[in-house]
Amino acid sequence: MLTRIDLRGSALPGVRELAGLLPRAATDIDSVLATVRPLCEDVRVRGAQAVREITARLDGVDLADFAVPQQAIDAALAGVDPAVRAALEEAIARVRKVHADQRRTDVTTDVVPGGTVTERWLPVRRVGLYVPGGLAPLLSSVVMNVVPAQIAGVASIAVASPPQRDHGGLPDPGVLAACALLGVSEVYAVGGAQAIAVFGYGAGSCEPVDMVTGPGNVYVTAAKRLLRGLIGIDSEAGPTEVAILADDTADPVHVAADLISQAEHDPLAGAVLVTTSEGLADAVLDLVPGQVAATKHSDRITTALEGSQSGIVLVDDVDAGLRVVDAYAAEHLEIQTRDAREVAMRVRNAGAVFVGAWSPVSLGDYIAGSNHVLPTGGCARHSSGLSVQSFLRGIHVVEYDERALADVAGHIDALAGAEDLPAHAAAVRARQRA
């Protein structure tokens, strides 16, 4: 459990080579495209009937109409555990508070007298938000997807989540309750790749969307890849992962618990400890079996921790540790070192950074106010997590008067000539007075 990689005592390799040495879950999206492509095409061609047949075959639920009735959404909220409702309400309030500060404002730049460029920020018209419901019904994902879309000003929001046989073919009641609290009334009991196809092509009462966000399994990810271009997507999410950068000041009980909590998501989840302390590594290895045995999903967690995607990396010092975690570019990165905030501010690549002993990933998963829809598989090197900005498009509005255009006509002429596009220059000359 948790294989060791010892990088001490010699110079670290370059970023690419280093990234290749580190534990990482392998996800082969291409391998499922042959399954997902005909499924999506079937939804495109046959619509709701195809969805009904696919859902019956894959989920064991035969739904004449996969749209969730409003009374079912209302009933889920009425029946939700009061403690869960209170937690959801607090999560919504905190996520709204953080994301409200992300809203962009229009800016007009006076380039020259009589010439301006205004950047307008306009929301996507309609979005489809996917909420997983396989190994765990992620009702918290409803909050993380819906809140930034609402703050961005998206006018039309639909949610899809897999039907549950234990709940009469409806999505998980907690998912429905979260939708109710957020005022989302358009919910569909459909999961997997077929849900993405419903959003992309439209089926039944669901009109096509312009963008799809939310995590999912490899089939969901493959469908997002297939439909990208027809729809916008947030990312091609892979298995979840956590990296912890720790020194000898870290509490091994905390570190072990945090590795286990992330492994709880999925047998493919990655849990990586990068540490300067062999003593900490030994203590964590000693603690993990007992903590795993005491938790509910011990088989799933054991599979994740014993997989090639998980391990302990020993480094000489914190500087080397920072190089390692930047090469890994974790979805979630915890810093449990001396001067943790200072170390955290030096991190360049991570979906989200959790600073110190009292900021575990579980906090961010639910109620810190941050967003938990984050880049995986090293994509934090170039991509951000879900935010209000994800649902906005910047549009440049160009307005020059006659004099301002005349002043640059010569430059346009020169550049159009250099590109052998004379009609570009002619379009300007046509506006010049004799």
Side-chain angles (χ1 to χ4, degrees), residues 62-78:
D62 187 7
L63 298 174
D65 184 359
F66 53 87
V68 177
Q70 184 62 50
Q71 57 265 36
I73 299 172
D74 295 339
L77 181 59

Side-chain angles (χ1 to χ4, degrees), residues 13 34 53 70 95 97 103 122 134 183 226 244 286 327 333-334 350-351 380 389 393 407 414:
E53 293 171 12
Q70 184 62 50
V95 173
K97 185 173 185 178
R103 188 65 168 90
L122 298 175
L226 277 175
I244 301 175
D286 287 343
L333 173 63
E334 291 188 4
Q389 180 63 27
R393 300 155 298 130
D407 286 346

Side-chain angles (χ1 to χ4, degrees), residues 24 241-246 258-259 262 270-274 311 324-325 328-336 352 354 361:
R24 178 78 77 187
E241 61 202 17
V242 63
I244 301 175
L245 176 58
D258 292 352
L259 294 170
Q262 207 60 29
V272 178
L273 169 61
V274 180
V324 169
V325 296
Y328 185 69
E331 178 189 17
H332 309 93
L333 173 63
E334 291 188 4
I335 306 294
Q336 298 196 37
F354 300 83
V361 169

Side-chain angles (χ1 to χ4, degrees), residues 103-109 118-122 393 395:
R103 188 65 168 90
R104 305 289 292 263
T105 57
D106 295 355
V107 176
T108 297
T109 302
T118 298
E119 186 165 38
R120 298 187 64 205
W121 292 99
L122 298 175
R393 300 155 298 130
I395 299 176

